[in-house]
């Protein structure tokens, strides 16, 4: 409303100048939609929303009066997003060590991690699995302004079979430890989807194969029948949510795509058939191709089980090769890192791997902006610097199109119009 009014006023009273609250002067601006760059642009921001992007000439003509943030020596791009994080996880606590952390304690860990993530330039994240509804609480605390963090799209509890990757298999029977998202059978899984929605989830995550870090599961083994997967996806879609599947093995990936999932997490051993199915169905792949390095170098010290390290040795390199095949085939690639397995705030380390394994720097940036935006149903709202988008803006000294590793250390972060890092930020 305010925007419409100021537009009107500026139109009828041009001598009054252009009312806006902040202007960012961008030396180089990355246009993520077009896949090009522009130079010397002025980004007008009002009430946390981008209202216009002007050339120098247009900007001078309009006589804008506002606080100016001068980033004329920097490359400016939309805030990044990550389709696969676990904000409530502590990367130093794997395996049995995780059992020492209560759910409320995990939520507090999430407070710290949300801040780190935002400061690293990731202004939106999809949290694909958290104990109970700690991710929903984080989202709400951030929205209410109690804590700072990225925009969070929470999945609540990841849904999985008894004894599967999304269950808790660490303790013997008599302890009765069961993952909050465990359900078996088409009606039971529908119930879990409904319950997640009831308590605030905005996306549904389920486990369609075994995993690396879970005890007693096999990467190649499908979890859930096709019928159960169809029930999960159908129920999620019916309630207006997207569904994403954790899947490493070929069979689980193919079944989940056939069941209609919107995205596949990991997709490590995706076959040519799986790539063809993904292309046919418009399924997005969210492949965490950095994390293997962390698991194999620091995982043991963090408590990762020997059997998990062994599974990682089988899957890590293969996943990168399959990433390359998927990129070549033209499958839409999301940026998803699995931060939480490794330290939050280091999400940007994955860019260099995505480029090393086949993407151009522009494509890797598009994965973390426009492709994720579409996957999150936030097309036009995030991932672009254009009128109507959230004022989530980052900048780096070095041009990331020349050296994508520049995104590992972001020099300026604005979220919702507030400067979090860099010029114009307030000490906190
Ligand atoms: N959370 C995942 C799992 O336990 C991590 C997989 C990491 N490895 C990889 N190569 N992406 O299965």
């Amino acid at each position: 409303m305010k925007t419409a009014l100021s537009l009107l006023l500026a139109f009828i009273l041009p001598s009054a100048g252009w009312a806006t609250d902040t202007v960012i002067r961008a030396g180089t601006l990355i246009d993520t939609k077009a896949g090009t760059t522009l130079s010397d642009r002025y980004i007008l921001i009002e009430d946390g929303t981008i209202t216009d992007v002007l050339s120098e000439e247009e900007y001078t003509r309009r006589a804008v009066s506002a606080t100016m943030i001068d980033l004329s020596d920097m490359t400016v791009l939309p805030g990044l997003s990550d389709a696969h994080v676990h904000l409530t996880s502590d990367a130093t606590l794997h395996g049995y060590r995780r059992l020492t952390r209560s759910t409320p304690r995990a939520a507090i860990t999430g407070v710290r991690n949300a801040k780190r993530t935002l400061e690293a330039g990731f202004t939106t994240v999809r949290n694909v699995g958290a104990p109970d509804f700690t991710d929903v609480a984080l989202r709400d605390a951030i929205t209410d302004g109690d804590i700072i963090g990225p925009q969070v799209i929470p999945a609540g509890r990841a849904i999985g079979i008894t004894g599967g990757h999304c269950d808790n298999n660490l303790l013997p029977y008599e302890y009765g430890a069961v993952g909050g998202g465990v359900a078996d059978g088409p009606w039971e899984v529908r119930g879990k989807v409904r319950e997640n929605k009831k308590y605030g989830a905005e996306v549904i995550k389920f486990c369609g194969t075994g995993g690396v870090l879970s005890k007693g599961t096999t990467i190649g083994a499908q979890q859930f029948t096709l019928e159960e997967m169809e029930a999960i996806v159908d129920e999620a879609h019916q309630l207006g949510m997207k569904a994403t599947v954790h899947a490493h093995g070929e069979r689980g990936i193919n079944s989940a795509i056939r069941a209609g999932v919107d995205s596949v997490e990991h997709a490590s051993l995706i076959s040519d058939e799986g790539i063809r199915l993904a292309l046919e169905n418009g399924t997005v792949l969210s492949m965490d191709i950095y994390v293997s390095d962390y698991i194999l170098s620091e995982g043991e010290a963090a408590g990762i089980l020997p059997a998990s390290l062994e599974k990682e040795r089988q899957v890590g390199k293969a996943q990168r090769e399959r990433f390359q095949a998927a990129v070549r085939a033209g499958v839409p690639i999301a940026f998803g890192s699995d931060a939480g397995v490794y330290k939050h705030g280091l999400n940007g380390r994955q860019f260099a791997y995505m480029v090393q394994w086949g993407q151009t720097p522009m494509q890797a940036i598009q994965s973390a902006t426009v492709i994720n935006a579409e996957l999150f149903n936030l097309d036009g709202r995030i991932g672009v610097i254009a009128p109507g988008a959230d004022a989530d803006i980052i900048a780096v000294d070095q041009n990331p199109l020349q050296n994508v590793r520049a995104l590992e250390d972001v020099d300026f972060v604005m979220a919702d119009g507030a400067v979090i890092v860099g010029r114009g930020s307030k000490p906190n």
Side-chain angles (χ1 to χ4, degrees):
M1 272 327 282
K2 217 166 161 191
T3 310
L5 182 66
S6 56
L7 278 169
L8 187 68
L9 281 177
F11 182 71
I12 51 177
L13 299 168
S15 58
W18 193 263
T20 194
D21 47 51
T22 311
V23 177
I24 292 179
R25 181 175 173 197
T28 302
L29 180 67
I30 299 184
D31 182 337
T32 48
K33 266 250 152 90
T36 55
T37 57
L38 301 160
S39 47
D40 298 319
R41 284 298 188 278
Y42 290 78
I43 308 162
L44 273 49
I45 295 153
E46 201 184 331
D47 267 350
T49 300
I50 297 168
T51 55
D52 227 331
V53 182
L54 306 174
S55 69
E56 179 130 40
E57 198 194 317
E58 290 166 317
Y59 176 74
T60 318
R61 189 148 33 87
R62 281 209 204 159
V64 177
S65 72
T67 310
M68 160 78 83
I69 299 173
D70 188 356
L71 306 178
S72 55
D73 54 347
M74 291 197 187
T75 300
V76 177
L77 62 159
L80 304 167
S81 59
D82 193 328
H84 191 132
V85 303
H86 301 279
L87 288 173
T88 54
S89 296
D90 186 324
T92 64
L93 299 172
H94 281 287
Y96 283 91
R97 286 194 202 169
R98 194 146 287 178
L99 295 176
T100 61
R101 285 286 166 103
S102 66
T103 298
R105 182 68 185 88
I108 295 168
T109 297
V111 173
R112 177 198 67 191
N113 292 336
K115 182 165 183 276
R116 281 188 185 162
T117 302
L118 181 61
E119 287 172 347
F122 286 79
T123 50
T124 306
V125 298
R126 202 168 65 160
N127 201 86
V128 285
D132 297 335
F133 292 93
T134 43
D135 53 352
V136 172
L138 280 175
R139 176 200 63 193
D140 292 345
I142 292 166
T143 311
D144 293 345
D146 291 349
I147 61 171
I148 73 157
Q151 179 177 350
V152 177
I153 299 160
R157 294 123 5 138
I159 299 171
I161 64 165
T162 297
H165 180 67
C166 289
D167 196 357
N168 179 348
N169 308 326
L170 291 167
L171 297 172
Y173 172 75
E174 60 269 31
Y175 288 89
V178 179
V182 169
D184 299 292
W187 286 107
E188 243 194 77
V189 294
R190 279 186 192 270
K192 277 289 170 195
V193 173
R194 292 170 188 170
E195 211 174 77
N196 273 354
K197 166 86 174 160
K198 172 177 174 177
Y199 292 109
E202 293 175 36
V203 61
I204 294 300
K205 150 92 176 279
F206 68 95
C207 287
T209 69
V212 172
L213 299 176
S214 50
K215 188 179 170 197
T217 71
T218 309
I219 294 164
Q222 178 170 328
Q223 300 186 347
F224 284 129
T225 63
L226 179 63
E227 188 189 8
E228 288 169 310
M229 290 187 184
E230 283 169 345
I232 294 171
V233 174
D234 180 62
E235 192 66 35
H237 287 173
Q238 197 156 278
L239 296 175
M241 296 179 288
K242 290 206 173 171
T244 193
V245 66
H246 154 106
H248 290 287
E250 172 181 354
R251 255 193 82 220
I253 294 171
N254 291 356
S255 299
I257 297 177
R258 289 202 172 95
V261 281
D262 301 283
S263 50
V264 179
E265 308 299 319
H266 313 298
S268 312
L269 305 175
I270 190 169
S271 59
D272 289 343
E273 162 88 345
I275 288 178
R276 194 183 57 71
L277 282 171
L279 279 170
E280 243 173 56
N281 291 275
T283 318
V284 179
L285 303 182
S286 165
M287 299 176 74
D288 52 339
I289 62 169
Y290 162 70
V291 70
S292 188
D293 280 13
Y294 170 85
I295 293 175
L296 294 178
S297 61
E298 293 175 56
E300 195 180 348
I304 292 182
L305 305 170
S308 292
L309 296 172
E310 190 43 46
K311 286 192 265 185
E312 186 55 53
R313 280 182 211 109
Q314 288 161 29
V315 93
K317 176 135 185 289
Q319 185 190 28
R320 292 171 183 175
E321 287 162 2
R322 296 316 291 160
F323 174 85
Q324 192 168 47
V327 169
R328 285 206 183 121
V331 183
I333 305 284
F335 183 103
S337 72
D338 215 352
V341 172
Y342 67 103
K343 199 174 160 201
H344 291 276
L346 302 182
N347 315 51
R349 285 197 182 174
Q350 188 169 278
F351 284 108
Y353 288 72
M354 292 168 89
V355 170
Q356 190 190 336
W357 291 91
Q359 285 190 314
T360 62
M362 183 62 92
Q363 286 176 322
I365 290 169
Q366 287 174 320
S367 289
T369 53
V370 277
I371 306 247
N372 275 1
E374 230 177 275
L375 181 60
F376 302 168
N377 280 335
L378 290 173
D379 197 18
R381 280 277 314 282
I382 66 159
V384 288
I385 295 183
D390 295 350
D392 292 346
I393 295 169
I394 65 167
V396 272
D397 284 335
Q398 248 195 326
N399 187 336
L401 297 173
Q402 275 142 31
N403 176 15
V404 85
R405 294 197 59 184
L407 296 174
E408 292 175 17
D409 185 13
V410 166
D411 302 293
F412 173 87
V413 180
M414 170 183 273
D416 267 330
V419 180
I420 307 295
V421 173
R423 286 166 211 169
S425 60
K426 297 186 183 78
N428 65 4

